[in-house]
Amino acid sequence: MKHFRALRTQLTPLALFGLVAATPAAAEETKSVTFTEDVAPIFFNNCVSCHRPNDAAPMSLLSYGEARPWAKSIRRAVTEREMPPWDADADHGVFSNDISLSDAEIATIQAWVDQGAPQGDPNKMPEPPQMAEAGSWKMGEEPDYVIELAPVEVPEGGPDLFITQVYAMEVPEGKWVRAVELLPGNTEVLHHVVTYFGPFGMSDDDDDSNAGVNKLVYLNEAAKRKTRMGEAPRFGGVWVAGSPPSKFPEGSGKTVEPKQMLSFNMHYHPSGNAGTDVSRVGLYFGEGELEKEITTAFAADPGMFIPAGAADHHEQAVYVFSQDSKVLSFLPHMHQRGKSMVYTIQRPDSDEKEILLSVPEYDYDWQNIYELAEPIAAPAGSVLTVDAWWDNSAENAANPDASIDVPWGDGTNNEMLVAFFDFVVDEGVKVKPVRTRDTVDTLLALHDPKEGYAISIDGMGFGQVWGLVLPEEENAEGNFYVTFSTLILDASIPKIERVGDDFVFTAEMITSAGGTRTPMGFIAKRNDDGVEGEIFFGQRISSSNVDTMRGKGRKFSGPSLANAMTEQASAGAGGR
């Protein structure tokens, strides 16, 4: 795997060079390769958005004189793929923002260096691409709404800094955003920024889930409001060195409320020189009526648990589409132990699973968004499955501590499985309200019907149904599904205890703030009709305290999926 933090600490030209490499192909030895005719076009198309004066990269590649001293480092970086800011497997998916080099382009660069890196005819040098001036808005226009982020002081050395800044907008009704751009204040120390519409990663508990987050900054008083249950974060954009603004397809965008909360997850890397960053975020509003509202959804498993020393730990999360939709983009999110992630889809009319995105070497230091060249159909009832792997071993150079078990947590010393994706619905402007029972039944159908239960909880809203999977097999993993409209949380339950006839366990869920864990204790018992028991919000239950907790929770009950299917079949037969 690539570990940008370790490479960058060495401050080698090779490590800082930002080209993307594929499998090298043999260059034609008989062809003369020059900078002006062969190499400059490659650099201009793929590299100079970063590698130009006063921008994020350490050297410019706009001219032969600037590029020539780095020739051998460039060749090695391309050949060994040490610093590709593009991690998607080329065998799955076609992406409009793919900046990787083809085999032929890599071979051209290799041949140029092997032949002594000649300049060629200066008169044949192509014109450099037209780019916005470094330090100016790349959209080429002033934003409609600018947010100045708080100054961040970065020391010359020491560990990386992780800052979450939160802001509440003041905008009138009816506004929607067509593009988001971050204007970095100090590219020497600012590594990446992820923007969310809504709360994300806002825990302030340094003793638990927020481990590794240095600071939470509220930019205005309105940002300190309580978040609402089901208030899921929506992806706004990612900034890394050289990345373009996040522009949504024509006529589509993200809606904003008058008091819209924005969250900015920021990563800083000390560079050897102390510095201050004051970045700005620009929002560009659309004109007229919004044709399609872009929905950000995610598959997530807040119950994930990675054992100490595990070198290839696997977890899985799922999502169900309630309406005919088109998927637009993906954003995999794990932390420093993240190893790989794969998105697959199974449509209701097919037994085949299609891989939509495979990231075989996930790199937390380059959190790419993968924008599809053409939207992908996801008919109603389609199940998107996300498989993820982590390396919690001492062999992982990015691992902060291989000796500890790692749960879900919004801090970088803990881990996450959040697989974001954007989609639009085929009919109408935005997603319609969904009947949670339909979604829960589809999720439970992924398991043995006798082990899956659609449960209703006393005092919950009318029609609100959640899913519970209690395996027959001892020591097997269970599941708990929570749904709120387009929000689906798939929490694995790694530990289920038996106390007499009762199943006793705690499901880890996440709050609307997007990252903070909250426990939900269960005492459950099977009966002839299904399951019944008590649920304890915000409390953990185990065999050690179950007797003292009985009678203090909120009651729940529900049929098994197998019983529900039998009843439906009987009703159908009676109707005939």
Side-chain angles (χ1 to χ4, degrees), residues 194-261:
V194 184
T195 298
Y196 299 95
F197 291 90
F200 187 75
M202 290 171 54
S203 169
D204 205 16
D205 182 0
D206 292 330
D207 295 327
D208 188 13
S209 63
N210 207 41
V213 174
N214 299 89
K215 196 173 184 181
L216 177 64
V217 178
Y218 292 101
L219 295 171
N220 55 3
E221 285 299 314
K224 297 179 181 179
R225 70 167 173 81
K226 293 286 187 180
T227 57
R228 301 182 294 271
M229 192 66 176
E231 186 180 5
R234 295 175 291 147
F235 172 67
V238 171
W239 177 88
V240 294
S243 62
S246 296
K247 293 190 290 187
F248 306 124
E250 187 71 26
S252 65
K254 307 283 179 111
T255 55
V256 290
E257 302 173 353
K259 300 288 186 181
Q260 179 66 55
M261 184 181 289

Side-chain angles (χ1 to χ4, degrees), residues 292-368:
K292 292 288 183 181
E293 179 179 330
I294 297 176
T295 297
T296 295
F298 53 82
D301 179 11
M304 60 174 292
F305 184 83
I306 308 172
D312 195 34
H313 181 76
H314 172 253
E315 298 277 357
Q316 187 178 86
V318 297
Y319 183 88
V320 175
F321 289 89
S322 61
Q323 295 174 233
D324 292 347
S325 305
K326 295 287 190 304
V327 181
L328 305 177
S329 64
F330 309 98
L331 173 62
H333 182 74
M334 298 186 282
H335 291 169
Q336 296 170 102
R337 298 172 177 86
K339 187 175 183 180
S340 59
M341 187 180 285
V342 178
Y343 290 69
T344 62
I345 191 170
Q346 184 171 1
R347 298 175 177 88
D349 58 352
S350 173
D351 294 330
E352 299 295 322
K353 291 186 177 181
E354 178 187 353
I355 296 177
L356 304 182
L357 170 69
S358 174
V359 180
E361 294 190 29
Y362 176 83
D363 190 344
Y364 175 73
D365 291 314
W366 289 103
Q367 296 196 44
N368 286 316

Side-chain angles (χ1 to χ4, degrees), residues 154-170:
V154 182
E156 65 180 30
D160 287 14
L161 304 180
F162 299 92
I163 312 293
T164 295
Q165 302 199 31
V166 187
Y167 179 82
M169 297 175 63
E170 294 286 349

Side-chain angles (χ1 to χ4, degrees), residues 441 443-454 468-470 472 526 529-530 558-566:
D441 283 351
L443 292 165
L444 294 177
L446 302 174
H447 306 270
D448 186 332
K450 297 190 301 295
E451 298 178 348
Y453 304 88
L468 180 62
V469 177
L470 293 178
E472 297 277 0
R526 290 194 176 103
D529 297 323
S560 69
L561 181 60
N563 285 348
M565 293 168 63
T566 300

Side-chain angles (χ1 to χ4, degrees), residues 261-576:
M261 184 181 289
L262 296 173
S263 302
F264 308 99
N265 293 157
M266 312 181 75
H267 173 195
Y268 292 91
H269 182 82
S271 65
N273 297 311
T276 301
D277 173 62
V278 182
S279 294
R280 292 186 291 164
V281 176
L283 304 181
Y284 299 84
F285 295 142
E287 296 182 359
E289 293 293 324
L290 177 64
E291 297 175 17
K292 292 288 183 181
E293 179 179 330
I294 297 176
T295 297
T296 295
F298 53 82
D301 179 11
M304 60 174 292
F305 184 83
I306 308 172
D312 195 34
H313 181 76
H314 172 253
E315 298 277 357
Q316 187 178 86
V318 297
Y319 183 88
V320 175
F321 289 89
S322 61
Q323 295 174 233
D324 292 347
S325 305
K326 295 287 190 304
V327 181
L328 305 177
S329 64
F330 309 98
L331 173 62
H333 182 74
M334 298 186 282
H335 291 169
Q336 296 170 102
R337 298 172 177 86
K339 187 175 183 180
S340 59
M341 187 180 285
V342 178
Y343 290 69
T344 62
I345 191 170
Q346 184 171 1
R347 298 175 177 88
D349 58 352
S350 173
D351 294 330
E352 299 295 322
K353 291 186 177 181
E354 178 187 353
I355 296 177
L356 304 182
L357 170 69
S358 174
V359 180
E361 294 190 29
Y362 176 83
D363 190 344
Y364 175 73
D365 291 314
W366 289 103
Q367 296 196 44
N368 286 316
I369 178 173
Y370 301 92
E371 299 173 355
L372 287 161
E374 295 292 337
I376 292 178
S382 296
V383 177
L384 184 141
T385 302
V386 175
D387 292 277
W389 290 263
W390 289 262
D391 183 356
N392 192 25
S393 72
E395 299 300 313
N396 180 0
N399 191 350
D401 189 349
S403 67
I404 61 173
D405 298 330
V406 182
W408 172 287
D410 55 355
T412 54
N413 290 347
N414 288 333
E415 274 297 340
M416 278 189 177
L417 166 47
V418 187
F420 290 99
F421 54 97
D422 274 353
F423 69 91
V424 293
V425 293
D426 290 358
E427 294 185 7
V429 176
K430 61 182 180 180
V431 176
K432 298 175 182 176
V434 297
R435 182 174 178 266
T436 58
R437 179 60 186 269
D438 295 338
T439 301
V440 167
D441 283 351
T442 302
L443 292 165
L444 294 177
L446 302 174
H447 306 270
D448 186 332
K450 297 190 301 295
E451 298 178 348
Y453 304 88
I455 63 172
S456 298
I457 302 170
D458 288 357
M460 295 293 288
F462 176 77
Q464 181 67 53
V465 177
W466 291 346
L468 180 62
V469 177
L470 293 178
E472 297 277 0
E473 184 181 344
E474 289 286 336
N475 301 318
E477 188 173 272
N479 279 85
F480 180 50
Y481 297 107
V482 172
T483 66
F484 291 99
S485 186
T486 59
L487 175 63
I488 298 175
L489 298 177
D490 168 10
S492 57
I493 308 171
K495 183 179 181 181
I496 300 177
E497 298 180 278
R498 295 295 296 268
V499 180
D501 293 333
D502 292 329
F503 294 82
V504 179
F505 56 91
T506 298
E508 300 287 356
M509 299 308 298
I510 55 177
T511 67
S512 57
T516 307
R517 288 184 301 159
T518 185
M520 301 180 75
F522 284 82
I523 303 174
K525 179 182 294 184
R526 290 194 176 103
N527 56 38
D528 292 339
D529 297 323
V531 70
E532 61 184 348
E534 293 180 84
I535 184 171
F536 303 81
F537 291 89
Q539 295 178 287
R540 300 181 187 278
I541 302 294
S542 68
S543 57
S544 63
N545 69 345
V546 61
D547 290 333
T548 62
M549 297 298 293
R550 290 184 190 277
K552 300 177 182 178
R554 188 175 291 186
K555 292 182 179 181
F556 72 87
S557 62
S560 69
L561 181 60
N563 285 348
M565 293 168 63
T566 300
E567 291 176 3
Q568 290 173 1
S570 298
R576 291 194 298 271

Side-chain angles (χ1 to χ4, degrees), residues 2-227:
K2 305 167 295 298
H3 302 296
F4 178 74
R5 186 177 305 110
L7 291 169
R8 194 168 172 179
T9 301
Q10 299 170 15
L11 298 178
T12 61
L14 168 62
L16 292 173
F17 183 70
L19 287 176
V20 176
T23 304
E28 297 180 14
E29 297 181 2
T30 57
K31 183 181 183 298
S32 176
V33 179
T34 67
F35 182 85
T36 56
E37 293 187 66
D38 305 293
V39 176
I42 298 174
F43 288 174
F44 287 0
N45 288 334
N46 298 276
C47 312
V48 298
S49 61
C50 278
H51 290 271
R52 57 176 179 155
N54 303 315
D55 215 306
M59 73 288 199
S60 173
L61 299 178
L62 282 170
S63 69
Y64 176 74
E66 292 169 310
R68 178 61 182 84
W70 302 87
K72 290 184 179 179
S73 293
I74 291 170
R75 183 192 191 284
R76 190 167 58 168
V78 169
T79 303
E80 298 181 4
R81 293 183 284 181
E82 289 198 4
M83 178 50 187
W86 186 262
D87 298 323
D89 186 339
D91 290 338
H92 304 287
V94 179
F95 302 95
S96 61
N97 60 332
D98 184 351
I99 58 172
S100 60
L101 299 180
S102 68
D103 289 355
E105 289 171 325
I106 295 168
T108 296
I109 295 171
Q110 291 174 320
W112 173 62
V113 179
D114 290 345
Q115 294 175 22
Q119 179 179 9
D121 185 350
N123 294 321
K124 295 183 179 181
M125 182 74 173
E127 288 293 324
Q130 295 295 316
M131 296 179 290
E133 183 179 346
S136 64
W137 298 104
K138 292 184 177 180
M139 285 285 291
E141 57 182 301
E142 285 296 312
D144 297 298
Y145 196 104
V146 177
I147 303 163
E148 184 169 304
L149 303 181
V152 177
E153 302 290 339
V154 182
E156 65 180 30
D160 287 14
L161 304 180
F162 299 92
I163 312 293
T164 295
Q165 302 199 31
V166 187
Y167 179 82
M169 297 175 63
E170 294 286 349
V171 291
E173 291 279 1
K175 289 294 184 183
W176 56 280
V177 175
R178 61 182 171 90
V180 180
E181 180 175 359
L182 182 123
L183 191 62
N186 187 338
T187 56
E188 188 175 359
V189 295
L190 182 61
H191 188 272
H192 73 254
V193 180
V194 184
T195 298
Y196 299 95
F197 291 90
F200 187 75
M202 290 171 54
S203 169
D204 205 16
D205 182 0
D206 292 330
D207 295 327
D208 188 13
S209 63
N210 207 41
V213 174
N214 299 89
K215 196 173 184 181
L216 177 64
V217 178
Y218 292 101
L219 295 171
N220 55 3
E221 285 299 314
K224 297 179 181 179
R225 70 167 173 81
K226 293 286 187 180
T227 57

